[in-house]
């Protein structure tokens, strides 16, 4: 698996986790009901000042532009994929069937803004692929470590999600490292993901 898009911050994943939980009660194929920005910030334990609201708006845009590219021949996932998407042909590498797809983390954003351009509420949608791979359970963890031989601090951000939709409980681990300088200048990055399966 790989990630393509602007480098995501740890707060972006927290925002994504909130939207996943919010979407759990929404039927597949339907847009999410309007989400009020102030209520969302309070629910996540954040401030509600203008800078906080602008930060959330930037996070939503990064998530909107974030894309996951997936290729797997895991038998449990392939079988679940066939059951969920019976009309979609499987990708084959040689004689080995697998799942190959890509999707954005968030769908189109429809925002209501003040005269000053601050977002007060928004709605979005999650593709069926996001629902299939991410399910309804999400954990975010952060680990910081100093970069050897460098005064800069490297931050490793790990994003774990558990998908019960895809048959066996499957966890995917995303990690990347960036110095503060790289974080300021990065406009596009590719992040490789490792996969682990839990029983």
């Amino acid at each position: 698996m790989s990630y393509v898009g602007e480098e995501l911050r740890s707060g972006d994943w927290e925002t994504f986790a909130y939207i996943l939980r919010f979407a759990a009660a929404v039927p597949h194929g339907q847009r999410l009901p309007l989400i009020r920005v102030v209520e969302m910030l309070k629910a996540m334990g954040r401030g509600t000042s203008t800078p906080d609201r602008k930060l959330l708006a930037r996070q939503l845009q990064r998530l909107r532009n974030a894309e996951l590219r997936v290729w797997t021949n895991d038998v449990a996932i392939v079988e679940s994929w066939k059951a969920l998407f019976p009309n979609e042909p499987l990708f084959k590498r040689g004689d080995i069937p697998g799942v190959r797809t890509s999707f954005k983390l968030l769908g189109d954003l429809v925002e209501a803004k003040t005269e000053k351009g601050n977002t007060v509420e928004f709605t979005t949608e999650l593709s069926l692929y996001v629902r299939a791979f991410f399910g309804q359970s999400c954990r975010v963890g952060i680990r910081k470590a100093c970069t050897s031989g460098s005064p800069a601090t490297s931050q490793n951000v790990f994003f774990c999600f558990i998908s019960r939709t895809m048959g066996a409980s499957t966890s995917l681990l995303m990690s990347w490292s960036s110095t503060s300088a790289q974080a300021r200048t990065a406009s596009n990055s590719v992040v490789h993901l490792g996969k682990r399966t839990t029983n």
Side-chain angles (χ1 to χ4, degrees):
M1 300 183 71
S2 62
Y3 165 81
V4 179
E6 184 180 351
E7 182 181 41
L8 297 179
R9 287 67 163 172
S10 58
D12 299 348
W13 290 117
E14 182 184 36
T15 295
F16 184 58
Y18 177 90
I19 294 174
L20 278 179
R21 291 192 295 269
F22 186 86
V26 179
H28 289 189
Q30 292 187 16
R31 291 188 69 86
L32 274 59
L34 283 172
I35 301 174
R36 295 188 60 82
V37 167
V38 171
E39 293 176 1
M40 179 175 176
L41 289 170
K42 288 180 178 179
M44 292 190 294
R46 300 182 188 176
T48 57
S49 66
T50 297
D52 291 319
R53 284 177 279 166
K54 288 184 176 179
L55 174 60
L56 179 63
R58 292 194 297 271
Q59 290 175 339
L60 292 172
Q61 288 299 328
R62 284 195 290 269
L63 290 168
R64 170 68 186 97
N65 295 323
E67 180 182 356
L68 281 182
R69 297 177 179 177
V70 181
W71 153 250
T72 178
N73 59 0
D74 181 274
V75 175
I77 293 180
V78 170
E79 291 303 314
S80 298
W81 187 270
K82 289 193 295 185
L84 287 167
F85 308 108
N87 297 324
E88 293 196 18
L90 293 174
F91 176 80
K92 286 192 175 182
R93 180 173 291 171
D95 294 329
I96 302 174
V99 173
R100 183 178 183 181
T101 188
S102 64
F103 49 86
K104 295 292 185 71
L105 293 184
L106 291 185
D108 292 335
L109 290 167
V110 178
E111 303 170 278
K113 298 186 177 184
T114 64
E115 293 181 356
K116 294 183 178 181
N118 296 322
T119 301
V120 293
E121 58 186 15
F122 70 94
T123 180
T124 186
E125 55 188 348
L126 298 178
S127 76
L128 291 178
Y129 299 144
V130 171
R131 298 287 191 96
F133 275 93
F134 285 82
Q136 299 176 4
S137 180
C138 180
R139 296 196 304 269
V140 178
I142 301 174
R143 184 181 73 187
K144 293 184 178 180
C146 291
T147 303
S148 177
S150 169
T153 298
S154 175
Q155 177 170 286
N156 297 325
V157 179
F158 296 89
F159 176 72
C160 257
F161 65 82
I162 299 175
S163 174
R164 294 180 178 84
T165 312
M166 297 298 290
S169 179
T170 301
S171 299
L172 294 172
L173 177 65
M174 174 182 287
S175 67
W176 69 89
S177 301
S178 64
T179 63
S180 57
Q182 289 172 327
R184 287 196 299 269
T185 59
S187 60
N188 231 351
S189 61
V190 177
V191 181
H192 296 286
L193 289 79
K195 172 175 169 288
R196 61 185 183 182
T197 300
T198 57
N199 296 323

